[in-house]
Amino acid sequence: MLRELRIGDMVAKLPIIQGGMGVGVSLSRLAGAVAKEGGVGVISTAQIGFEEPEFEKDQAKANLIAIKKHIKKAKELACGHGMVGVNIMVALKHYKEHVLAAVEAGADVIISGAGLPMELPELVDEKSHTRIAPIVSSKRAANLILKMWAHRYNRTADFIVIEGPKAGGHLGFDREQLETYTQESYDNEIERIMAVVRKYAQKYQVHIPVAVAGGISDKDAAEHAFSLGADAVQA
């Protein structure tokens, strides 16, 4: 069965999100190439301006220049296909500025983790082109974020990324959880997260796509995620 990923009024013909990787790993060339093939290409904003002339004297300024430059270039490379977005870590010193720059540059999506993106809806107007997604690793985090977004902004996520213990990046797992991890136990957690998502989807009468990440390296892993009810995978 042919799958596609719908986020708002945007469609990616391939339900694959390329994970954001910094520093300097996933920039415009990679993100643009993924989008051109019909997926969701993602640029990491972590120290993205390292190649800019201003970087040595003013890293913050260089990063903002590079965010806009790389989004523009990735969209040109994509030739109107797929989606181009950014991964912006909550832990970044200039998180707010990175989000605003990405929106101004016309990013299709913003994916945000490495902390709880509680204020993300405040920075991205619901009427803007840019769609927003938190990264969560547990039912507790999903419920906390979506509850706060609903209470404070009367808004919910446009999509969700679930990152399990096999995912790279900044995850909320302690040593004991990692040592006792099994695929079955985390599958159960994914299903609990999806139940939270369905509750808010029903509240706002929308479909909230869910992407599963972590150890997605082949067709079998992707099909397993789809069997749990995922709309997409992030690899």
Side-chain angles (χ1 to χ4, degrees):
M1 181 177 67
L2 182 65
R3 297 178 182 272
E4 61 182 20
L5 174 62
R6 292 182 175 270
I7 300 175
D9 59 358
M10 295 180 290
V11 179
K13 71 176 184 180
L14 297 177
I16 299 173
I17 299 173
Q18 165 250 310
M21 298 169 283
V23 174
V25 179
S26 60
L27 297 175
S28 52
R29 288 175 61 188
L30 177 58
V34 171
K36 187 175 182 180
E37 294 302 317
V40 182
V42 178
I43 297 163
S44 169
T45 73
Q47 296 294 68
I48 189 174
F50 70 97
E51 294 181 315
E52 298 298 319
E54 297 88 350
F55 190 73
E56 287 190 16
K57 294 184 178 179
D58 192 340
Q59 292 185 11
K61 179 181 178 182
N63 288 332
L64 296 180
I65 291 171
I67 288 170
K68 295 176 183 180
K69 179 185 295 186
H70 280 284
I71 291 173
K72 181 177 184 291
K73 184 176 178 181
K75 282 181 161 284
E76 289 172 351
L77 292 171
C79 301
H81 299 288
M83 303 179 206
V84 171
V86 291
N87 179 293
I88 306 178
M89 297 188 296
V90 177
L92 292 176
K93 183 178 180 180
H94 298 286
Y95 174 76
K96 176 180 178 180
E97 290 84 354
H98 283 211
V99 171
L100 294 175
V103 173
E104 183 180 344
D108 295 319
V109 299
I110 292 175
I111 298 171
S112 192
L116 302 178
M118 293 302 196
E119 298 180 356
L120 185 57
E122 184 177 324
L123 304 174
V124 184
D125 192 301
E126 195 168 7
K127 296 178 182 178
S128 78
H129 167 77
T130 306
R131 304 292 91 195
I132 57 176
I135 296 173
V136 300
S137 297
S138 66
K139 172 188 174 183
R140 181 176 180 274
N143 194 56
L144 191 61
I145 293 168
L146 296 183
K147 183 178 181 180
M148 179 62 75
W149 286 14
H151 173 72
R152 186 179 293 177
Y153 307 107
N154 190 29
R155 182 176 178 183
T156 196
D158 296 306
F159 64 111
I160 299 282
V161 176
I162 301 175
E163 289 193 353
K166 291 184 179 180
H170 307 266
L171 305 174
F173 298 98
D174 58 33
R175 181 178 293 276
E176 182 181 353
Q177 289 173 313
L178 293 174
E179 289 175 348
T180 59
Y181 163 84
T182 66
Q183 186 65 58
E184 182 180 2
S185 68
Y186 201 69
D187 285 354
N188 292 335
E189 187 67 14
I190 289 172
E191 290 171 351
R192 287 189 284 268
I193 294 170
M194 287 183 173
V196 172
V197 174
R198 286 194 296 271
K199 181 175 76 171
Y200 284 92
Q202 183 176 18
K203 174 181 173 67
Y204 287 94
Q205 293 295 292
V206 294
H207 175 61
I208 304 174
V210 174
V212 170
I216 310 294
S217 59
D218 56 28
K219 179 182 177 181
D220 289 343
E223 288 298 342
H224 179 72
F226 292 132
S227 75
L228 297 174
D231 299 277
V233 293
Q234 177 177 286

